[in-house]
Amino acid sequence: MTKSDHLPNDSLLRAIDDELAGTEVVLVESHLQRCEECRRSYQELSHASARIESVLAAVPIEHYPEERERLAEELERCQTKTNLQGSEKVLRRFGWGMAIAATLAIGVLLLPGRHARIPNTTGVSEARSSAALQVDGETFIPLPYSNPELPVSASHIVEMRISASSLADAGIVFEPISNTASEQDSSVLADVLLGMDGQPLGVHVLRQ
Amino acid sequence: MEQADILALPRPKWKAEYLEDTSLRRLVLEHYDREHVPLLRYLALLGVDRETSRELVQESFLKLHEHLLNGGDRSNLRAWLYRVAHNLARNTQSAFRSSKTESLTGSEGAREPVSEAVSAEEELLAEERVKCFREAMNQLSLAQRECLTLRAQGFKYREIAEVLNLSVSTVGENVARALERLKDLL
Ligand SMILES: [Zn+2]
């Protein structure tokens, strides 16, 4: 770029947009410092840009609130499909209409210590950590990080294989694997109780 | 990433699709809440009619869900969304048929759409500006309009290049040409 060459608009615009590449920065800035004409062009472009952006932002866009609901339903359909495709997973769904049953849902039952060891984490989880969850005649070991406020009635039970290490991370340790490092990758078949937030509430190990 | 990202929660990694999926669904809806209006605006400015835009937006977010389910790259989901919406629009025959920004005009639709409430005067003024703007936009090539609109949505040239499958320098040129033409018309 010689002194007589003025800056092209796309250079000016890249300067406005902070998109100049390494060496260009010095060239453009030094030219702007000594060339009034380019400074004027820079100002003009800068104003035009601001004007255009404000008009663009003012363009009224109609949107439809029911579209979100439609998307949410569609996403759930995709999810159900995915679950049914999984060969090892059986989804048993409790009717969402069973919310009335919420009041009697959280069965509190003390679990013998030899079955599970649950770490004390937060105060909230501690309050529940010793109570098992009773759903549909099945006993679940509650997980330390699940939300205790959720009604158990609006939950799903999903049968799946869970790696022993995941279980151990959740504070549930089973005798045969707790001491042997070599069996870290083993998995167990378990029913997982999922709350309405999709987070696991509890686990019931079916067999190892 | 986002607050509701299940992976960010202090919980063990459950190697089960189901659990992943529920959080992904939430993530998709979060993106929807943030991006659906800007996306509709982008499509409108490209000249895609409203009904088509509506479908394209739905489809784009379903594809986002699929992308996340398949463990796709999450580094720039916003740009990813625009790219998908853009390609869907390209593939929709009717979408770019007119290649004019007609969809910015009337409310000939059957359903009652929601738009921000403004006073009658403001509305008139805005309408006038939009009409003027539409005419100006129609002077631009499609690529110029695309680049200009994405730039106005806050994308960097590198991201615009990614969305439109152009080189960064082409993006810069398109934005510059678009501005050159518009600055005298607005
Ligand atoms: Zn100059």
Side-chain angles (χ1 to χ4, degrees):
Chain A
M1 200 180 292
T2 65
K3 262 188 178 175
S4 58
D5 286 328
H6 287 302
L7 294 167
N9 274 344
D10 60 303
S11 293
L12 290 172
L13 199 65
R14 279 205 305 282
I16 292 166
D17 288 348
D18 200 15
E19 295 268 3
L20 289 173
T23 51
E24 247 185 331
V25 183
V26 186
L27 282 172
V28 170
E29 279 180 1
S30 63
H31 183 99
L32 279 176
Q33 257 167 20
R34 61 176 191 267
C35 178
E36 211 197 312
E37 202 178 323
C38 281
R39 274 205 300 279
R40 207 166 36 239
S41 304
Y42 179 96
Q43 287 299 331
E44 256 180 48
L45 267 181
S46 178
H47 287 147
S49 162
R51 209 161 56 232
I52 287 161
E53 289 199 7
S54 82
V55 182
L56 254 172
V59 169
I61 292 301
E62 290 131 2
H63 55 101
Y64 307 82
E66 70 269 20
E67 288 292 282
R68 190 189 197 275
E69 194 52 41
R70 200 178 127 209
L71 177 66
E73 280 167 14
E74 199 61 46
L75 290 174
E76 190 162 4
R77 237 195 313 281
C78 290
Q79 172 187 303
T80 312
K81 212 167 65 196
T82 311
N83 283 320
L84 292 175
Q85 279 162 359
S87 56
E88 282 185 305
K89 287 169 234 160
V90 180
L91 176 69
R92 274 184 278 146
R93 195 181 274 254
F94 290 108
W96 291 88
M98 278 181 66
I100 320 128
T103 40
L104 50 106
I106 305 178
V108 177
L109 192 127
L110 283 177
L111 202 78
R114 65 192 156 83
H115 277 163
R117 206 170 64 228
I118 291 153
N120 292 332
T121 45
T122 64
V124 178
S125 62
E126 204 181 318
R128 237 181 49 166
S129 62
S130 60
L133 301 164
Q134 195 84 359
V135 177
D136 204 21
E138 204 173 338
T139 307
F140 293 87
I141 301 166
L143 294 165
Y145 43 77
S146 57
N147 181 356
E149 305 295 321
L150 290 176
V152 178
S153 62
S155 55
H156 305 174
I157 298 173
V158 186
E159 189 182 294
M160 56 175 74
R161 294 209 74 86
I162 293 169
S163 74
S165 54
S166 286
L167 275 177
D169 287 344
I172 301 163
V173 182
F174 289 86
E175 299 291 327
I177 48 170
S178 56
N179 299 325
T180 8
S182 60
E183 286 178 63
Q184 284 273 297
D185 288 345
S186 63
S187 64
V188 293
L189 190 65
D191 269 352
V192 176
L193 182 69
L194 295 171
M196 58 190 296
D197 63 348
Q199 300 288 329
L201 292 170
V203 185
H204 175 206
V205 175
L206 301 173
R207 61 170 191 273
Q208 292 173 33
Chain B
M1 189 167 289
E2 275 71 21
Q3 273 194 325
D5 189 345
I6 203 164
L7 301 174
L9 295 174
R11 54 186 297 281
K13 287 178 234 90
W14 290 80
K15 289 159 196 147
E17 272 173 34
Y18 185 90
L19 306 187
E20 282 283 303
D21 193 37
T22 316
S23 77
L24 296 184
R25 213 166 37 153
R26 204 179 311 158
L27 191 60
V28 171
L29 287 172
E30 269 180 27
H31 273 85
Y32 180 84
D33 292 339
R34 232 185 349 252
E35 297 296 342
H36 79 283
V37 173
L39 256 181
L40 284 169
R41 173 169 287 126
Y42 174 65
L43 292 171
L45 288 164
L46 295 193
V48 181
D49 69 85
R50 268 190 318 192
E51 275 308 306
T52 311
S53 297
R54 222 169 128 159
E55 289 308 316
L56 292 183
V57 167
Q58 281 281 332
E59 210 177 326
S60 302
F61 283 97
L62 287 175
K63 282 198 179 297
L64 174 65
H65 186 230
E66 211 180 299
H67 173 75
L68 293 170
L69 265 178
N70 295 330
D73 178 35
R74 297 185 181 200
S75 56
N76 196 342
L77 290 178
R78 189 166 174 254
W80 189 94
L81 256 175
Y82 276 81
R83 190 169 66 238
V84 167
H86 179 85
N87 291 338
L88 286 173
R90 278 249 157 114
N91 295 337
T92 309
Q93 284 212 315
S94 63
F96 287 169
R97 196 193 289 144
S98 69
S99 104
K100 302 266 185 229
T101 55
E102 274 154 12
S103 51
L104 298 180
T105 32
S107 40
E108 72 281 351
R111 266 145 296 200
E112 267 309 305
V114 177
S115 52
E116 297 92 275
V118 281
S119 80
E121 289 148 80
E122 279 174 330
E123 213 169 298
L124 261 175
L125 201 70
E127 246 172 57
E128 197 50 46
R129 284 174 86 198
V130 169
K131 188 167 163 262
C132 188
F133 181 66
R134 195 188 72 244
E135 277 159 16
M137 283 290 270
N138 284 341
Q139 308 281 308
L140 307 178
S141 74
L142 183 59
Q144 288 171 352
R145 242 185 288 157
E146 288 168 341
C147 290
L148 191 75
T149 310
L150 288 172
R151 172 181 174 270
Q153 313 263 39
F155 283 109
K156 301 298 287 178
Y157 289 11
R158 183 182 43 75
E159 296 173 306
I160 299 174
E162 207 182 292
V163 171
L164 301 176
N165 201 17
L166 296 172
S167 72
V168 176
S169 60
T170 307
V171 170
E173 282 159 25
N174 275 323
V175 173
R177 294 295 99 77
L179 265 178
E180 273 166 31
R181 300 190 76 166
L182 286 188
K183 81 179 155 82
D184 301 323
L185 295 167
L186 289 176

